[in-house]
């Protein structure tokens, strides 16, 4: 890890079968900046955390399997983490214990472009069925895009089962859930999402994506196809020469392309309009721009 980025360490990794079909590998990270548990939701068993897989002094093969530093699949009675005899896969390591990247066992993030979503936690959108924002929709859609070869409705090339959702614990664009709920009340009183944050003495967007960059580097992801509409996120994720955004993959709201699906509410239209007008998001739709210019703010 370079000196100007946070130091991250993958604490544990586990296979998660999902209700949507594909398996994911959930990676839990610690870091030297905050005490939050940031995550990487990894599609593809062969995308490997360098910090997790590096050999450690005096550890056993069982120790490695328990923390998730194994190749292939676990099964009852398996005794070696670095060798899956059923699949014929074996990891190799340098003399200092670092993982050697081989195409047969490990995703090569230099020769392969990887579909990536840098996603900030949104309790209301992901767990409380909120129609104020499109965060929950974007999270679900990112997973489906990474798992698929192509999104039929839009023709967007998917990840074909390889990709990463970096899940950063920075609720409410970095202001926390309590302040976010206050901002919602200000929005009901006439403010937009940017005005509400500013009225609470917060930046319009207080998020920091540096931990996300460190996580991508730990996973060996170099060439990123970034799922975003936010030009600022593209700039923040770029980290020459280690991380390059080779493509921006748009996330057009589902309801804009299919009026029978997606989120349809007054709040979401206002939220998306503010993203376009005030935050420069790369979205286009014939909605009524500047519709709130005459609204009296508090």
């Amino acid at each position: 890890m370079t000196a100007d980025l946070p130091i991250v360490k993958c604490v544990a990794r586990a296979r998660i079968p999902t209700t949507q079909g594909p398996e994911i590998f959930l990676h839990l990270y610690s870091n030297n900046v905050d005490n939050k548990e940031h995550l990487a939701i990894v599609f593809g068993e062969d995308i490997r955390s360098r910090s997790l897989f590096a050999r450690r002094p005096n550890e056993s093969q069982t120790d490695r399997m328990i923390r998730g530093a194994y190749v292939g699949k676990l099964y009852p009675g398996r005794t070696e983490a670095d060798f899956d005899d059923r699949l014929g896969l074996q990891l190799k390591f340098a003399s200092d214990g670092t993982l050697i990247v081989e195409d047969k066992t490990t995703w090569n993030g230099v020769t392969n472009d990887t579909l990536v979503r840098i996603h900030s936690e949104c309790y209301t959108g992901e767990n409380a069925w909120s129609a104020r924002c499109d965060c929950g929709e974007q999270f679900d859609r990112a997973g489906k895009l990474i798992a698929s070869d192509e999104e039929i409705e839009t023709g967007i090339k998917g990840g074909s089962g390889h990709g990463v959702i970096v899940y950063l614990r920075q609720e409410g664009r970095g202001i926390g859930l309590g302040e976010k709920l206050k901002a919602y009340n200000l929005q009901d009183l006439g403010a937009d999402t940017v005005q509400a944050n500013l009225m609470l003495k917060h930046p319009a967007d207080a998020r920091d994506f540096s931990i996300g960059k460190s996580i991508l580097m730990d996973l060996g992801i170099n060439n990123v196809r970034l799922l975003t509409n936010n030009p600022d996120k593209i700039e923040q994720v770029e980290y020459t020469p280690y991380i390059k955004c080779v493509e921006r993959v748009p996330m057009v709201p589902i309801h804009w392309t299919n009026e029978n699906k997606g989120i349809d509410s007054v709040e979401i239209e206002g939220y998306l309009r503010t993203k376009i007008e005030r935050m420069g998001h790369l979205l286009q739709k014939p909605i009524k721009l500047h519709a709130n210019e005459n609204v009296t703010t508090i």
Side-chain angles (χ1 to χ4, degrees), residues 273-292:
R273 182 171 56 245
T274 300
K275 278 189 170 184
I276 296 168
E277 293 181 355
R278 304 289 298 276
M279 304 177 76
H281 280 218
L282 304 172
L283 286 167
Q284 290 183 343
K285 184 180 184 286
I287 59 177
K288 294 180 180 178
L289 298 178
H290 307 290
N292 290 334

Side-chain angles (χ1 to χ4, degrees), residues 18 32 38 54 64 87 96 99 138-139 164 176 263 278 298:
T18 71
N32 67 337
H38 302 282
R64 292 177 63 78
L87 297 176
D96 63 356
L99 178 70
Q138 288 188 338
F139 180 80
V164 178
I263 304 169
R278 304 289 298 276
I298 304 162

Side-chain angles (χ1 to χ4, degrees), residues 5-69:
L5 282 183
I7 298 171
V8 300
K9 182 178 181 179
C10 187
V11 176
R13 160 189 181 259
R15 179 184 65 87
I16 308 292
T18 71
T19 58
Q20 301 297 321
E23 293 182 340
I24 61 170
F25 288 82
L26 190 61
H27 294 58
L28 179 67
Y29 278 88
S30 64
N31 69 86
N32 67 337
V33 174
D34 59 39
N35 59 359
K36 297 178 181 179
E37 295 180 320
H38 302 282
L39 303 162
I41 301 166
V42 175
F43 293 69
E45 190 278 332
D46 57 349
I47 297 179
R48 307 197 186 283
S49 159
R50 304 319 192 241
S51 60
L52 182 78
F53 274 85
R55 284 179 167 171
R56 301 174 186 176
N58 304 316
E59 69 175 354
S60 68
Q61 289 290 297
T62 299
D63 292 334
R64 292 177 63 78
M65 286 191 288
I66 290 172
R67 76 165 182 264

